[in-house]
Amino acid sequence: MGNAAVTARFDEVAPLAVRQQPSLHVESQHGQKKKILFVTSEFADLVKVGGLGDVSAALPRALSPRHDVRVLIPGYKTIVDSGHPIRIIGEVGGHAALPPCKIGRMDLDDGLIVYIVLCPELYEREGNPYGDANGRDWPDNHIRFARLGLAAADIAAGTACISWCPELVHANDWPAGLAPAYMAWRGQATPSVFTIHNLAYQGLCAPECSPELGLPDEAFDPESMEFYGKLSFLKAGLTYANHITTVSQTYAREITTADFGYGLEGMLKLKADAGLLSGIANGIDESWQPMTDPHLVAGFSARHWQGKRANAQYVEQTFGLDADGGPLFAVVSRLVQQKGIDLTLDVAERIVTGGGRIAIIGRGEPDLEAAVAELGKRYPGRIGVNVGFNETDARRMFAGSDFLLMPSRFEPCGLSQMYAQRFGSLPIARRTGGLADTIEDGVTGFLFREPTADAYFEAIERALNVFKHPELLNAMRCKAMAAPLYWEQSVAPYDRLYTELVEELEANAARQQVGRSL
Ligand code: ADP
Ligand code: GLC
């Protein structure tokens, strides 16, 4: 996040007083649907950079039979221009340098309701949610996402002129980190959950940004959101949410250690020991059906494989690969350090020597983009590269490939490996985070432990070996395709968590009422 210089003084900003309290204690009853505001910076139907977009689109829908979950997202240009009607239904006031703005409502065809923070000067720009077309972060990201967090707090306080008032706010990753914090500073009772999708992105800004965000003095404190001399949006979420979740059980353990904790491991260990941090694995939604996915060139199943071949042919043609029947490896990834792209660069020659072909699609850090593009030029016919983002091609790559390369240095959950499995492509991945939880080594994919090219290639050699034995390959594919990855398994723990937190608040409110009437 950029650390823009403070351009104005906001010393006279009003304190974060609660203007109105929601009537939480009377709204929901035991066992009834709870009203949940799901705050996110990505939503795959409308705007997606990575897996957060997928989860934000899938989880609220998967929870909808049990809870009334509504999404809150900034009104980026792509959303405002999406063609879906947006009705203005509310507004929130300004605070420090956060401008006042309208709240829009979009009703999607399947009934999901999306609230949109409409603030053209902050959000309607060319580029992705976090930066411009050249990948540079927007210098005012602290203001852009504080605006999101405060809008969530306003909606929860019932001060956004919206008749619907959430009983719980579920904030996701650093862009939503200030939602629980603003709520706490204002003394709002509404409980909040903060989900870590990736601890590596922390939303840091200089302490001088504090007046712009209208933060109370206590914010710049190690017990609050101060982090090594900066303000951390991520830490704000961790400090003030009633409960923290992350997206796999292994990652929930890993982030309490120095190797994965980015300096927050001490705090996270305390939270875990207090029962306030849990791992709830992501799932995949039911659009990931190889027989019916309309993105595919042809459908297929564990009994009818022909369609898989048609998708492979598409990948060969699109990526300029020799159609020689050699094993086809796919990389569908953000091109960032996390994903171990350097390890794939290190083993690429050995894969080619082993008769393999590699199709790579990805976008990300400029040096990694240049390195994979260069790799493609070095091995024409054997390695094809698209430095870009294309959902249809990604799906066809999962469907057409034999193996997915995913040697992530860390992986909170990972969705690509699950998509690949569902489409009969066996992931070759590092035994970390969600990869360790979703791949059974030698059964539904291949795992290696040490983040070295040699350990990685040892797993690739095992995959090449399996490829030489079609019966073995088919047996593994069938098991991978049948792995139970859908959202249903994750819905129950979220359901329990939401219900517990809301009912705990209701019980406290009821106790207070009794106390007052005595
Ligand atoms: P992360 O969120 O860390 O990027 P995940 O595996 O959870 O990792 O999710 C990545 C998502 O982004 C998947 O849906 C994957 O298919 C998609 N994806 C990544 N890169 C591309 C790309 N270049 N083109 C299309 N889809 C992509
Ligand atoms: C993050 C993580 C990824 C996870 C996704 C969705 O981007 O890197 O592992 O699957 O969020 O939770």
Side-chain angles (χ1 to χ4, degrees), residues 50-53 55 173 195-198 201 247 282 334 338-339 406 410-418:
L52 173 62
V55 172
D173 264 356
T195 296
I196 304 166
H197 296 265
N198 197 327
Y201 301 98
V247 287
N282 289 332
R334 289 185 297 120
Q338 170 194 351
K339 300 291 176 180
M406 202 163 167
F410 68 94
E411 195 60 74
C413 178
L415 299 171
S416 292
Q417 83 280 8
M418 297 197 251

mmCIF file of all heavy atoms in Angstrom, residues 50-53 55 173 195-198 201 247 282 334 338-339 406 410-418, ligand 2:
data_model
loop_
_atom_site.group_PDB
_atom_site.id
_atom_site.type_symbol
_atom_site.label_atom_id
_atom_site.label_comp_id
_atom_site.label_asym_id
_atom_site.label_seq_id
_atom_site.Cartn_x
_atom_site.Cartn_y
_atom_site.Cartn_z
ATOM 1 N N GLY A 50 -7.323 -12.997 -7.555
ATOM 2 C CA GLY A 50 -6.918 -14.356 -7.163
ATOM 3 C C GLY A 50 -8.047 -15.041 -6.417
ATOM 4 O O GLY A 50 -9.229 -14.716 -6.597
ATOM 5 N N GLY A 51 -7.668 -15.976 -5.546
ATOM 6 C CA GLY A 51 -8.648 -16.834 -4.888
ATOM 7 C C GLY A 51 -9.617 -16.115 -3.965
ATOM 8 O O GLY A 51 -10.728 -16.600 -3.730
ATOM 9 N N LEU A 52 -9.227 -14.943 -3.433
ATOM 10 C CA LEU A 52 -10.158 -14.199 -2.580
ATOM 11 C C LEU A 52 -11.449 -13.895 -3.352
ATOM 12 O O LEU A 52 -12.544 -13.947 -2.791
ATOM 13 C CB LEU A 52 -9.501 -12.894 -2.096
ATOM 14 C CG LEU A 52 -10.412 -11.928 -1.335
ATOM 15 C CD1 LEU A 52 -10.956 -12.557 -0.053
ATOM 16 C CD2 LEU A 52 -9.673 -10.630 -1.011
ATOM 17 N N GLY A 53 -11.293 -13.596 -4.646
ATOM 18 C CA GLY A 53 -12.473 -13.326 -5.479
ATOM 19 C C GLY A 53 -13.369 -14.545 -5.563
ATOM 20 O O GLY A 53 -14.602 -14.452 -5.423
ATOM 21 N N VAL A 55 -13.565 -17.084 -3.419
ATOM 22 C CA VAL A 55 -14.160 -17.396 -2.115
ATOM 23 C C VAL A 55 -15.300 -16.422 -1.808
ATOM 24 O O VAL A 55 -16.369 -16.812 -1.317
ATOM 25 C CB VAL A 55 -13.088 -17.353 -1.001
ATOM 26 C CG1 VAL A 55 -13.711 -17.475 0.377
ATOM 27 C CG2 VAL A 55 -12.066 -18.463 -1.216
ATOM 28 N N ASP A 173 -9.236 -10.266 4.781
ATOM 29 C CA ASP A 173 -7.908 -9.764 4.412
ATOM 30 C C ASP A 173 -7.741 -8.268 4.715
ATOM 31 O O ASP A 173 -8.687 -7.579 5.068
ATOM 32 C CB ASP A 173 -7.610 -10.058 2.936
ATOM 33 C CG ASP A 173 -6.796 -11.349 2.767
ATOM 34 O OD1 ASP A 173 -6.413 -11.949 3.794
ATOM 35 O OD2 ASP A 173 -6.541 -11.743 1.610
ATOM 36 N N THR A 195 -11.052 -12.968 8.419
ATOM 37 C CA THR A 195 -10.425 -14.124 7.775
ATOM 38 C C THR A 195 -9.135 -13.722 7.083
ATOM 39 O O THR A 195 -9.111 -12.772 6.289
ATOM 40 C CB THR A 195 -11.386 -14.787 6.766
ATOM 41 O OG1 THR A 195 -12.501 -15.305 7.490
ATOM 42 C CG2 THR A 195 -10.704 -15.938 6.026
ATOM 43 N N ILE A 196 -8.065 -14.456 7.418
ATOM 44 C CA ILE A 196 -6.771 -14.254 6.767
ATOM 45 C C ILE A 196 -6.728 -15.160 5.538
ATOM 46 O O ILE A 196 -6.711 -16.376 5.655
ATOM 47 C CB ILE A 196 -5.604 -14.689 7.685
ATOM 48 C CG1 ILE A 196 -5.654 -13.970 9.026
ATOM 49 C CG2 ILE A 196 -4.263 -14.507 6.987
ATOM 50 C CD1 ILE A 196 -4.733 -14.612 10.088
ATOM 51 N N HIS A 197 -6.715 -14.555 4.362
ATOM 52 C CA HIS A 197 -6.510 -15.345 3.146
ATOM 53 C C HIS A 197 -5.028 -15.384 2.797
ATOM 54 O O HIS A 197 -4.581 -16.289 2.100
ATOM 55 C CB HIS A 197 -7.321 -14.771 1.984
ATOM 56 C CG HIS A 197 -8.799 -14.854 2.213
ATOM 57 N ND1 HIS A 197 -9.573 -15.884 1.732
ATOM 58 C CD2 HIS A 197 -9.635 -14.055 2.917
ATOM 59 C CE1 HIS A 197 -10.831 -15.706 2.122
ATOM 60 N NE2 HIS A 197 -10.893 -14.599 2.840
ATOM 61 N N ASN A 198 -4.319 -14.377 3.249
ATOM 62 C CA ASN A 198 -2.890 -14.343 2.952
ATOM 63 C C ASN A 198 -2.214 -13.348 3.884
ATOM 64 O O ASN A 198 -2.460 -12.147 3.788
ATOM 65 C CB ASN A 198 -2.675 -13.931 1.493
ATOM 66 C CG ASN A 198 -1.281 -14.268 1.019
ATOM 67 O OD1 ASN A 198 -0.335 -14.213 1.809
ATOM 68 N ND2 ASN A 198 -1.144 -14.611 -0.243
ATOM 69 N N TYR A 201 0.240 -10.101 2.718
ATOM 70 C CA TYR A 201 -0.212 -8.765 2.323
ATOM 71 C C TYR A 201 -0.813 -8.096 3.557
ATOM 72 O O TYR A 201 -1.826 -8.549 4.078
ATOM 73 C CB TYR A 201 -1.241 -8.860 1.193
ATOM 74 C CG TYR A 201 -0.684 -9.565 -0.023
ATOM 75 C CD1 TYR A 201 -0.932 -10.904 -0.254
ATOM 76 C CD2 TYR A 201 0.131 -8.884 -0.926
ATOM 77 C CE1 TYR A 201 -0.397 -11.565 -1.346
ATOM 78 C CE2 TYR A 201 0.674 -9.525 -2.024
ATOM 79 C CZ TYR A 201 0.407 -10.868 -2.230
ATOM 80 O OH TYR A 201 0.948 -11.507 -3.321
ATOM 81 N N VAL A 247 -7.683 -20.008 6.055
ATOM 82 C CA VAL A 247 -8.386 -20.824 5.072
ATOM 83 C C VAL A 247 -7.913 -22.277 4.945
ATOM 84 O O VAL A 247 -8.290 -22.959 3.993
ATOM 85 C CB VAL A 247 -8.391 -20.106 3.701
ATOM 86 C CG1 VAL A 247 -9.355 -18.924 3.753
ATOM 87 C CG2 VAL A 247 -6.990 -19.626 3.327
ATOM 88 N N ASN A 282 -11.180 -23.704 2.523
ATOM 89 C CA ASN A 282 -12.022 -23.284 1.402
ATOM 90 C C ASN A 282 -12.534 -24.502 0.664
ATOM 91 O O ASN A 282 -11.947 -25.591 0.736
ATOM 92 C CB ASN A 282 -11.210 -22.468 0.394
ATOM 93 C CG ASN A 282 -10.831 -21.093 0.911
ATOM 94 O OD1 ASN A 282 -11.529 -20.529 1.741
ATOM 95 N ND2 ASN A 282 -9.723 -20.574 0.406
ATOM 96 N N ARG A 334 -0.884 -16.586 -10.122
ATOM 97 C CA ARG A 334 -0.304 -15.258 -10.003
ATOM 98 C C ARG A 334 1.210 -15.451 -10.036
ATOM 99 O O ARG A 334 1.726 -16.413 -9.462
ATOM 100 C CB ARG A 334 -0.713 -14.599 -8.670
ATOM 101 C CG ARG A 334 -2.175 -14.190 -8.627
ATOM 102 C CD ARG A 334 -2.533 -13.436 -7.349
ATOM 103 N NE ARG A 334 -2.366 -14.258 -6.161
ATOM 104 C CZ ARG A 334 -1.548 -13.987 -5.146
ATOM 105 N NH1 ARG A 334 -0.802 -12.903 -5.172
ATOM 106 N NH2 ARG A 334 -1.444 -14.788 -4.099
ATOM 107 N N GLN A 338 5.500 -15.955 -3.706
ATOM 108 C CA GLN A 338 4.775 -16.983 -2.936
ATOM 109 C C GLN A 338 4.619 -18.290 -3.711
ATOM 110 O O GLN A 338 4.678 -19.380 -3.131
ATOM 111 C CB GLN A 338 3.375 -16.444 -2.582
ATOM 112 C CG GLN A 338 2.438 -17.488 -2.003
ATOM 113 C CD GLN A 338 0.972 -17.033 -1.979
ATOM 114 O OE1 GLN A 338 0.665 -15.884 -2.249
ATOM 115 N NE2 GLN A 338 0.070 -17.939 -1.664
ATOM 116 N N LYS A 339 4.408 -18.181 -5.011
ATOM 117 C CA LYS A 339 3.994 -19.340 -5.798
ATOM 118 C C LYS A 339 5.164 -20.221 -6.249
ATOM 119 O O LYS A 339 4.959 -21.202 -6.961
ATOM 120 C CB LYS A 339 3.177 -18.884 -7.011
ATOM 121 C CG LYS A 339 1.913 -18.105 -6.639
ATOM 122 C CD LYS A 339 0.861 -18.987 -5.971
ATOM 123 C CE LYS A 339 -0.341 -18.188 -5.509
ATOM 124 N NZ LYS A 339 -1.370 -19.010 -4.852
ATOM 125 N N MET A 406 2.495 -26.512 -8.881
ATOM 126 C CA MET A 406 2.137 -25.523 -7.848
ATOM 127 C C MET A 406 3.101 -25.624 -6.664
ATOM 128 O O MET A 406 2.718 -25.991 -5.546
ATOM 129 C CB MET A 406 0.697 -25.775 -7.413
ATOM 130 C CG MET A 406 0.033 -24.564 -6.791
ATOM 131 S SD MET A 406 -1.753 -24.747 -6.739
ATOM 132 C CE MET A 406 -2.171 -23.408 -5.623
ATOM 133 N N PHE A 410 4.539 -20.894 0.342
ATOM 134 C CA PHE A 410 3.480 -21.053 1.340
ATOM 135 C C PHE A 410 2.165 -20.942 0.594
ATOM 136 O O PHE A 410 2.106 -20.368 -0.495
ATOM 137 C CB PHE A 410 3.584 -20.000 2.457
ATOM 138 C CG PHE A 410 3.293 -18.592 2.020
ATOM 139 C CD1 PHE A 410 2.024 -18.056 2.142
ATOM 140 C CD2 PHE A 410 4.293 -17.792 1.472
ATOM 141 C CE1 PHE A 410 1.755 -16.755 1.732
ATOM 142 C CE2 PHE A 410 4.035 -16.492 1.056
ATOM 143 C CZ PHE A 410 2.759 -15.976 1.191
ATOM 144 N N GLU A 411 1.128 -21.543 1.117
ATOM 145 C CA GLU A 411 -0.169 -21.513 0.429
ATOM 146 C C GLU A 411 -1.287 -21.603 1.460
ATOM 147 O O GLU A 411 -1.597 -22.678 1.977
ATOM 148 C CB GLU A 411 -0.263 -22.673 -0.557
ATOM 149 C CG GLU A 411 -1.386 -22.524 -1.572
ATOM 150 C CD GLU A 411 -1.246 -21.274 -2.440
ATOM 151 O OE1 GLU A 411 -0.390 -21.239 -3.345
ATOM 152 O OE2 GLU A 411 -1.998 -20.313 -2.169
ATOM 153 N N PRO A 412 -1.885 -20.457 1.789
ATOM 154 C CA PRO A 412 -2.932 -20.474 2.814
ATOM 155 C C PRO A 412 -3.987 -21.552 2.571
ATOM 156 O O PRO A 412 -4.316 -22.331 3.466
ATOM 157 C CB PRO A 412 -3.506 -19.058 2.721
ATOM 158 C CG PRO A 412 -2.339 -18.229 2.267
ATOM 159 C CD PRO A 412 -1.580 -19.106 1.319
ATOM 160 N N CYS A 413 -4.519 -21.613 1.374
ATOM 161 C CA CYS A 413 -5.382 -22.742 1.016
ATOM 162 C C CYS A 413 -5.001 -23.213 -0.382
ATOM 163 O O CYS A 413 -4.495 -24.290 -0.586
ATOM 164 C CB CYS A 413 -6.868 -22.357 1.056
ATOM 165 S SG CYS A 413 -7.899 -23.755 0.569
ATOM 166 N N GLY A 414 -5.219 -22.317 -1.368
ATOM 167 C CA GLY A 414 -5.005 -22.711 -2.753
ATOM 168 C C GLY A 414 -6.301 -23.281 -3.304
ATOM 169 O O GLY A 414 -6.916 -24.164 -2.699
ATOM 170 N N LEU A 415 -6.705 -22.740 -4.429
ATOM 171 C CA LEU A 415 -7.893 -23.261 -5.113
ATOM 172 C C LEU A 415 -7.492 -23.966 -6.400
ATOM 173 O O LEU A 415 -8.112 -24.950 -6.807
ATOM 174 C CB LEU A 415 -8.847 -22.107 -5.444
ATOM 175 C CG LEU A 415 -9.374 -21.342 -4.222
ATOM 176 C CD1 LEU A 415 -10.126 -20.098 -4.652
ATOM 177 C CD2 LEU A 415 -10.285 -22.237 -3.392
ATOM 178 N N SER A 416 -6.422 -23.477 -7.034
ATOM 179 C CA SER A 416 -6.043 -24.040 -8.339
ATOM 180 C C SER A 416 -5.820 -25.546 -8.269
ATOM 181 O O SER A 416 -6.215 -26.277 -9.177
ATOM 182 C CB SER A 416 -4.778 -23.351 -8.857
ATOM 183 O OG SER A 416 -5.079 -22.016 -9.176
ATOM 184 N N GLN A 417 -5.204 -26.017 -7.178
ATOM 185 C CA GLN A 417 -4.959 -27.465 -7.081
ATOM 186 C C GLN A 417 -6.269 -28.240 -6.987
ATOM 187 O O GLN A 417 -6.385 -29.353 -7.497
ATOM 188 C CB GLN A 417 -4.027 -27.791 -5.895
ATOM 189 C CG GLN A 417 -4.672 -27.895 -4.523
ATOM 190 C CD GLN A 417 -4.917 -26.528 -3.892
ATOM 191 O OE1 GLN A 417 -4.737 -25.492 -4.525
ATOM 192 N NE2 GLN A 417 -5.314 -26.521 -2.638
ATOM 193 N N MET A 418 -7.291 -27.618 -6.366
ATOM 194 C CA MET A 418 -8.580 -28.313 -6.252
ATOM 195 C C MET A 418 -9.305 -28.305 -7.602
ATOM 196 O O MET A 418 -9.932 -29.291 -7.988
ATOM 197 C CB MET A 418 -9.451 -27.653 -5.187
ATOM 198 C CG MET A 418 -8.861 -27.725 -3.796
ATOM 199 S SD MET A 418 -10.115 -27.384 -2.543
ATOM 200 C CE MET A 418 -9.604 -25.782 -1.974
HETATM 201 C C1 GLC B 2 -5.153 -16.221 -0.953
HETATM 202 C C2 GLC B 2 -4.213 -17.396 -0.824
HETATM 203 C C3 GLC B 2 -4.767 -18.685 -1.362
HETATM 204 C C4 GLC B 2 -6.217 -18.882 -0.968
HETATM 205 C C5 GLC B 2 -7.021 -17.668 -1.376
HETATM 206 C C6 GLC B 2 -8.488 -17.776 -1.014
HETATM 207 O O1 GLC B 2 -4.989 -15.495 -2.091
HETATM 208 O O2 GLC B 2 -2.952 -17.129 -1.409
HETATM 209 O O3 GLC B 2 -3.991 -19.768 -0.893
HETATM 210 O O4 GLC B 2 -6.735 -20.026 -1.588
HETATM 211 O O5 GLC B 2 -6.531 -16.520 -0.753
HETATM 212 O O6 GLC B 2 -8.678 -17.977 0.357
#
